[in-house]
Each structure stands twice: as C-alpha cells, then as structure tokens.
C-alpha cells in the first residue's frame, strides 16, 4: 500500500519537475541578480527546461506546460501578456520538429540546437514586442541576454543529466 | 500485413496531428492575449493576475534576493573598489555643500510658511514616505521595472512615486497585498510630467528603452531657453506625482531631440522610498474661490491674529524702510 503511494508520489514528482523548474526559472528572472552592476544580462532560465524536456521527454513538457511557463514569465516581468508564451511555444514547436535530428547526437550538436532554439525564441519575442510598441526596438539587450542564455546552458544540462543518472543508478 | 502497416502509420500520423492541435490553439491564445494587452502595461486586463502572482512570488523573490544581497555585500560593487578614495572625497565635498543648502532651505521654509499664513494659501498635501526593499527586478529586455516589498497593507496605491537617494526612480503600477511593481523612468510606457528649471518649461518625459528618456513639449513652445545641464523636476501636473522631485538634468539637444540624464540608478539601488500622498480631490466647484480674496483683506487678518501680527510687523518694517 505504502509502496504504491510512494510510487505515485515519485511518478507525480517526476512528471511535475520539468514544469516546476520552468516556473522557478521564469520567477528567477525577476530576482535582482544585477551581475556586474547590471552590465551582464540575466539568462532566460525558463528556456533550459523547456528545451531539455522538449527534446528528451516531450510528454513531460507538453504545450500547456510551456504556455504556463511563458505566462508566468510575462506576468512576473510585467510586460505584455502572451509575449514569452508565444516565443516559448514556437521554440517548443521547432524543437519537436527537429527532435529526431538531435536525439542521440553529441553534446556540442545539442548545444548548437539550443542556440538555434534560444535565438528563435528571442527573435519571436523581439518581433512581437516591436510590433506592440509600433517601432523596431533595440536589438542588443535581447541579443546579449540570448548569448548569456546559450553560454550558461551547459551548466543546466550537466546538472540535470547528473541527477537523472544518479536516480537511474539508485533504482 | 501490408494493410496493417499502412493502418498503423496512418494512426501514428493521426496521433501526431492530434497532439499538434493544443499547440496551435495555445499559440493562437498567446497571440490573442498579446493583442488584449496591447494598450499599455498599465491599462492591462491582466492586472488582477499580475497582482496575485506578485503576492505569490514575493516570498520566493525574497528568498532569492537574500543570498544575492549577501554576495553583493561581501564583494561590493566593482566600481566601488576602483573609486573608493575618489568617492569618499566627492562625498565629503557634497556633505559640506548640502549643509549650506540645508541652512538655506530651512530659512526659505520658514519664510514660505510665514508668507503662506499671511496670504492664507492652502499648503500642498503632506507627503509621507515608507522605506522598501527591492526584492525583484524585471530582467526582461522589453520592460524596465522593479518589485518592492510593500503593498496595499502598507497603504500603497497605484501612482505613488518611488525615489532613491538621488531622485525619482519611477511610479507604482501594480499593487499586491505585500509587494508592488514599480515602472522605471526608462520604460517605454513611462510618461512623466516634468518642469525644466531655468528654462521654466513644462513638458513630458518619455522612457526610451535603453537610451536616456526624451523630453517632449507642446508644439510651438519656444525652446531657446533650454540648455545642457538644466535641472529637470516633476511638475506635479496630471495629479499623479507630487511636484519638485528631482528627476535629472538635460543631457543633450541634438537632432531635434532633448534627452535627460537621470539622477537615479536602479542597478545600484537596494532600498527605496515610496512617497505616500494623495492629491485633494474634494474640490467644490460651486464654492467661492477663497484663494482669490485680496491678501490685505482685513476680516481674514483678524481671523488669524498671529498672521495679522506678522503682517503688521512686515507692514511696519516696509513703512519704516
């Protein structure tokens, strides 16, 4: 009985973790990190779990979860609602489309894929924001933030793989 | 066998297609939400959701900001290391200058109070303030806002001005129970009525994303009096922000654009002050305009013996001179 219950809990936790990480990532974007007195941009943390699980376990990062993470990011940042939801969903669709190509490839290939996905999401966000404000917005803030996101992705990827491997060994 | 293969392939394709429906539906939903939030960040239909999430996320943001503050306090800011002696010297000079200004301000304040009593001028509403910690900062590339740890429970309302030790940072746009979001002056949605001292001009200062905010004036106004370095303060027009809060100074007048260098710097601000005030909104339009009564009106001076005595002294002094 108790074993069954613990199995249910662990299954639920495993299923909810990717979305929870996405939500925490979206909220963390509003934390006052101020790297180098605001000179270094804060990475778009929510993109890490969205990319990782869209590639390696899309059933744990379905479209409604991606949408939810995007909406949380929009609401906490205070900007137009739907902006990051749209960007994340289109990036998610792109990853699903190219999923078979990236599965089983080396990490550098996956990292390049993440670069494309992050760049695509940033481009969509920039297009939408420029359309909303009625003029082309400066490109460099979103470009710097995307570069910071791409450069720091290996840390997340490495950590998650480490945790997954440990969990697999314990089981 | 072959028929079975065709059928399973068909079923797989059908399953993939069915999985795409929610994705497309959510992309359309996002687009619809974007259109709905089009007017501006302030007049959004999603305000209630923002307030709720702000309150829910506030403890988590405080949790994040704790270690961040600790790291900042241990290592300090990079520029502090390089400019500590120079900064110390500048601060000492500034203190000496401010002492002089304080003395002048106290004298002027006393004179204004005295004259206001004589003329029976209604004083502007008292401004109270509350100190708040910055627990969040919108790190998105399209919005410039901070989150502070005071809200409705601390009598904060939309529109309250937020300042740091240098000047105006922005104003409150979303109020939760225990936290609020402050729209910074550099945000594209920020429009503040300002007054340029020296040029004596009223204008609107608009945020311009990553560039310094720009000043806009009514068409046809003579701008020849404007000069680089003139002080820009809030004008108090529009009944949103109190007048006289330092904002910045004129940075440049090139290409038909007037830019303002802001005094405040939100990257280096952890503690802010939220100014709590309310504009008088109980004006009786049918009442006699009391302020238009002549100053030397005798009955009013009698009604205020102290002011009458002061007026008598002033009059006597004037007569004597």
């Amino acid at each position: 009985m108790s074993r069954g219950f613990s199995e249910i809990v662990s299954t639920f936790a495993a299923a909810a973790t990717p979305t929870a990480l996405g939500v925490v990532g979206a909220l963390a974007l509003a934390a006052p990190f101020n790297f180098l007195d605001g000179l270094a941009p804060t990475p778009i943390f929510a993109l890490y779990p969205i990319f990782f699980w869209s590639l390696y376990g899309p059933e744990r990062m379905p479209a409604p979860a991606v949408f939810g993470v995007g909406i949380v990011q929009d609401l906490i940042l205070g900007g137009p609602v739907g902006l990051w939801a749209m960007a994340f969903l289109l990036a998610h669709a792109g990853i699903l489309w190219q999923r078979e190509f990236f599965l089983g490839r080396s990490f550098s290939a996956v990292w390049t894929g993440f670069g494309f996905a992050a760049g695509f999401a940033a481009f969509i966000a920039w297009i939408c924001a420029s359309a909303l404000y009625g003029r082309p917005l400066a490109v460099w803030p979103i470009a710097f933030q995307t570069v910071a996101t791409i450069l720091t992705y290996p840390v997340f990827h490495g950590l998650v793989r480490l945790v997954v491997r440990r969990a697999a060994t314990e089981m | 066998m072959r028929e079975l293969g065709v059928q399973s392939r068909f079923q797989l394709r059908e399953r993939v297609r069915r999985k795409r429906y929610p994705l497309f539906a959510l992309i359309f939903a996002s687009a619809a939400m974007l259109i709905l939030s089009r007017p501006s960040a302030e007049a959004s239909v999603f305000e209630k959701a923002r307030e709720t999430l702000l309150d829910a996320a506030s403890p988590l943001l405080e949790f994040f900001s704790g270690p961040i503050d600790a790291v900042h306090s241990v290592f300090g800011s990079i520029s502090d290391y390089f400019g500590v002696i120079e900064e110390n010297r500048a601060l000492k000079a500034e203190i000496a200058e401010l002492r002089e200004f304080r003395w002048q301000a106290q004298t002027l304040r006393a004179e204004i109070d005295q004259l206001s009593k004589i003329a029976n001028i209604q004083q502007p509403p008292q401004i109270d303030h509350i100190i708040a910690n910055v627990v969040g900062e919108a790190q998105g590339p399209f919005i410039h806002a901070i989150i502070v740890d005071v809200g409705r429970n601390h009598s904060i309302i939309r529109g309250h001005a937020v300042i740091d030790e240098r000047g105006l940072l922005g104003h409150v746009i979303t109020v939760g129970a225990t936290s609020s979001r402050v729209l910074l002056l550099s945000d594209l949605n920020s429009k503040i009525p300002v007054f340029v001292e020296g040029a004596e001009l009223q204008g609107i200062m608009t945020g311009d994303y990553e560039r310094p905010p720009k000043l806009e004036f009514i068409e046809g106004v003579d701008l020849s009096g404007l000069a680089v370095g003139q002080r820009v303060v809030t004008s108090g027009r529009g009944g949103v922000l109190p007048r006289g809060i330092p904002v910045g100074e004129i940075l440049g007048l090139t290409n038909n654009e007037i830019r303002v260098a802001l005094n405040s710097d939100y990257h280096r601000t952890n503690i802010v002050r939220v100014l709590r005030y309310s504009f008088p909104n109980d004006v009786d339009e049918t009442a006699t305009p009391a302020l238009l009564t002549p100053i030397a009106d005798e009955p009013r001076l009698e009604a205020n013996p102290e002011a009458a005595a002061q007026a008598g002294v002033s009059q006597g002094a004037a007569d004597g001179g």
Side-chain angles (χ1 to χ4, degrees):
Chain A
M1 178 83 176
S2 65
R3 197 180 165 190
F5 179 72
S6 71
E7 263 176 26
I8 290 168
V9 169
S10 63
T11 310
F12 176 76
T17 300
T19 311
L21 281 176
V23 170
V24 170
L27 294 177
L29 200 58
F33 286 111
N34 267 331
F35 296 123
L36 302 177
D37 279 355
L39 289 175
T42 308
I44 306 162
F45 300 115
L47 261 174
Y48 303 153
I50 289 175
F51 175 82
F52 188 91
W53 275 284
S54 296
L55 186 64
Y56 295 111
E59 66 284 348
R60 293 200 172 162
M61 186 56 83
V66 176
F67 176 75
V69 171
I71 291 295
V72 167
Q73 182 155 314
D74 286 326
L75 290 174
I76 197 69
L77 292 183
V81 179
L83 183 84
W84 284 108
M86 165 92 86
F88 290 164
L89 279 170
L90 287 173
H92 171 74
I95 300 158
L96 291 182
W97 178 44
Q98 290 298 319
R99 190 166 170 256
E100 279 180 30
F101 175 80
F102 285 110
L103 278 179
R105 301 247 171 191
S106 65
F107 173 69
S108 52
V110 172
W111 194 8
T112 309
F114 178 76
F116 278 114
F120 181 57
F123 177 70
I124 296 294
W126 180 79
I127 288 276
C128 290
S130 297
L132 277 174
Y133 290 114
R135 66 191 172 93
L137 299 177
V139 175
W140 64 267
I142 182 77
F144 281 177
Q145 199 161 21
T146 309
V147 169
T149 310
I150 296 168
L151 290 178
T152 48
Y153 174 72
V155 179
F156 175 84
H157 190 97
L159 279 174
V160 174
R161 293 211 57 166
L162 194 77
V163 172
V164 169
R165 270 187 199 157
R166 275 214 176 156
T169 337
E170 278 170 18
M171 280 175 79
Chain B
M1 270 303 270
R2 203 179 157 194
E3 266 178 28
L4 266 175
V6 170
Q7 197 184 356
S8 62
R9 241 183 291 158
F10 175 75
Q11 280 173 341
L12 188 72
R13 244 183 251 160
E14 195 55 33
R15 224 168 55 199
V16 169
R17 193 176 295 163
R18 251 185 259 142
K19 271 192 175 179
R20 280 182 193 159
Y21 291 149
L23 181 63
F24 289 134
L26 289 168
I27 289 170
F28 278 117
S30 306
M33 287 169 118
L34 262 177
I35 292 163
L36 279 175
S37 61
R38 167 78 185 83
S40 78
E42 292 185 52
S44 171
V45 291
F46 303 103
E47 208 44 49
K48 191 70 202 163
R50 284 202 177 107
E51 286 172 17
T52 310
L53 186 71
L54 200 59
D55 279 337
S58 187
L60 189 71
L61 290 176
E62 279 178 36
F63 172 77
F64 278 130
S65 67
I68 294 167
D69 282 349
V71 170
H72 281 195
S73 62
V74 169
F75 293 103
S77 67
I78 292 165
S79 51
D80 285 349
Y81 280 113
F82 293 105
V84 69
I85 296 170
E86 193 56 41
E87 198 178 341
N88 191 30
R89 198 175 295 149
L91 283 171
K92 278 180 182 168
E94 205 175 327
I95 288 168
E97 199 181 351
L98 286 174
R99 277 198 187 120
E100 177 71 21
F101 274 125
R102 188 174 65 178
W103 180 78
Q104 283 180 15
Q106 281 170 340
T107 313
L108 285 170
R109 182 76 257 169
E111 278 179 25
I112 289 167
D113 284 347
Q114 209 171 32
L115 289 169
S116 299
K117 272 183 190 169
I118 295 166
N120 198 18
I121 293 171
Q122 192 184 347
Q123 290 293 312
Q126 283 293 311
I127 299 173
D128 169 30
H129 74 263
I130 183 165
I131 291 173
N133 292 302
V134 177
V135 292
E137 186 183 315
Q139 307 278 346
F142 311 118
I143 185 105
H144 289 180
I146 55 172
I147 298 166
V148 293
D149 63 350
V150 291
R152 263 195 312 275
N153 295 353
H154 309 90
S155 310
I156 304 296
I157 56 168
R158 265 182 78 142
H160 275 172
V162 179
I163 61 170
D164 68 1
E165 72 275 15
R166 300 176 188 89
L168 186 70
L169 268 171
H171 66 281
V172 174
I173 51 162
T174 307
V175 190
T178 55
S179 52
S180 308
R181 180 180 287 106
V182 179
L183 191 73
L184 298 170
L185 295 175
S186 53
D187 190 275
L188 285 168
N189 291 308
S190 169
K191 287 184 195 300
I192 304 288
V194 292
F195 180 74
V196 184
E197 289 180 352
E200 312 302 318
L201 283 172
Q202 306 258 4
I204 297 287
M205 192 183 78
T206 312
D208 196 15
Y209 199 31
E210 293 302 319
R211 299 175 70 194
K214 58 184 176 189
L215 267 183
E216 288 163 341
F217 299 95
I218 298 167
E219 220 168 291
V221 168
D222 179 22
L223 303 177
S224 57
L226 280 173
V228 172
Q230 281 173 335
R231 247 166 59 96
V232 178
V233 297
T234 53
S235 69
R237 289 228 171 168
V240 180
L241 300 171
R243 64 183 295 177
I245 303 174
V247 173
E249 55 184 51
I250 303 278
L251 179 66
L253 309 158
T254 49
N255 298 333
N256 297 327
E257 277 187 345
I258 303 148
R259 299 272 169 185
V260 178
L262 296 175
N263 286 344
S264 57
D265 178 8
Y266 73 93
H267 285 307
R268 302 190 64 185
T269 303
N270 291 328
I271 295 171
V272 297
R273 278 192 294 165
V274 184
L275 305 183
R276 294 183 296 192
Y277 53 90
S278 57
F279 283 87
N281 54 2
D282 54 349
V283 179
D284 183 2
E285 288 181 8
T286 57
T288 317
L291 294 180
L292 295 178
T293 319
I295 293 170
D297 192 357
E298 273 190 354
R300 219 142 42 93
L301 288 175
E302 279 167 9
N304 188 346
E306 200 183 321
Q310 291 287 354
V313 170
S314 304
Q315 185 112 22
D319 290 347

